[in-house]
Amino acid sequence: MRKSLLLALTLSFVFVGTAQAQAMFDRAWGAKAGVSVSSASLGAIGETFSKSNQTGFAGGLFIHNYWGLFGGQLEGSYIQKGVKGGSSSTIGDEATKLDYIELAALLKLGLPLGIVRPGLFGGIGFDILLSCDAGGIDCKDESKSTDWVGIIGGDVIVYFGSFNIFGDGRYNIGLSNVTDISDFEYKNQGWTFQAGVGFEIG
């Protein structure tokens, strides 16, 4: 009887302590960095395309807040996008590289499991074009200055004292045509994989 009572009390203290530690990190800010693996949805009248992924950098700052299982996250990121490939005449055989500042708002679902919180998220991003390079030629004047992006993905957060670390993988779906070239469509798409650190907001 005493052993059972002692075990129950120990588990209760562990549960309460873990819950309190978890609550400390419901509000956090931090930084992340990683790699983008981008491609594009291409289309044009009378053209046949071959394409492959373009690898670049992705990273930025974020702030998030959880209310139980659900949360929200705001982000500001620098992300490199583009595609390798070409057509018979439109974009040549060199890589197309587009650099953006991305402002994103995400809805999150996270399951608190002790010091670990796996989660899923989805939302929308607003991209501001910084530069465009197509085979060494500046293509910014032929590109739209903004893009809307759908975002879906997942992350895992691990809590350590006054900070946490996490990994984040997401798929980005361009929702608009980003080129001004007539009879040609270019929509960004691709993956980003990032890791980062977050700090408690008191």
Side-chain angles (χ1 to χ4, degrees):
M1 180 67 179
R2 289 182 179 178
K3 290 183 178 180
S4 298
L5 181 60
L6 181 60
L7 178 61
L9 288 173
T10 301
L11 291 175
S12 296
F13 283 125
V14 169
F15 177 80
V16 171
T18 301
Q20 290 176 341
Q22 184 73 48
M24 290 169 54
F25 306 108
D26 283 345
R27 299 177 64 203
W29 71 273
K32 56 181 181 171
V35 62
S36 67
V37 184
S38 301
S39 185
S41 173
L42 305 175
I45 298 175
E47 297 288 354
T48 301
F49 296 94
S50 62
K51 57 186 173 65
S52 59
N53 294 331
Q54 173 75 17
T55 302
F57 173 81
L61 302 175
F62 70 89
I63 182 170
H64 75 229
N65 194 11
Y66 270 100
W67 300 271
L69 294 176
F70 298 96
Q73 182 161 304
L74 298 177
E75 301 177 345
S77 303
Y78 169 75
I79 181 168
Q80 296 178 318
K81 301 183 180 183
V83 65
K84 291 180 179 179
S87 70
S88 59
S89 61
T90 306
I91 62 174
D93 295 322
E94 300 293 336
T96 299
K97 301 176 182 179
L98 302 103
D99 294 349
Y100 289 96
I101 291 293
E102 183 169 282
L103 307 176
L106 307 175
L107 295 177
K108 306 186 74 175
L109 172 63
L111 183 62
L113 300 173
I115 64 169
V116 179
R117 190 199 294 261
L120 300 173
F121 56 80
I124 193 163
F126 178 70
D127 286 8
I128 302 169
L129 182 66
L130 297 178
S131 66
C132 178
D133 181 286
I137 300 173
D138 188 347
C139 53
K140 190 173 182 179
D141 290 341
E142 297 176 334
S143 303
K144 290 184 169 63
S145 60
T146 60
D147 187 18
W148 289 97
V149 182
I151 301 170
I152 54 173
D155 59 12
V156 177
I157 307 171
V158 184
Y159 297 87
F160 296 95
S162 60
F163 69 96
N164 63 62
I165 61 173
F166 66 91
D168 172 326
R170 63 183 64 187
Y171 189 68
N172 307 281
I173 308 165
L175 302 178
S176 55
N177 180 18
V178 299
T179 181
D180 286 327
I181 300 174
S182 61
D183 297 329
F184 182 68
E185 183 179 82
Y186 185 114
K187 292 184 178 181
N188 289 304
Q189 62 186 32
W191 293 89
T192 61
F193 302 96
Q194 299 175 85
V197 58
F199 302 94
E200 174 194 0
I201 299 175

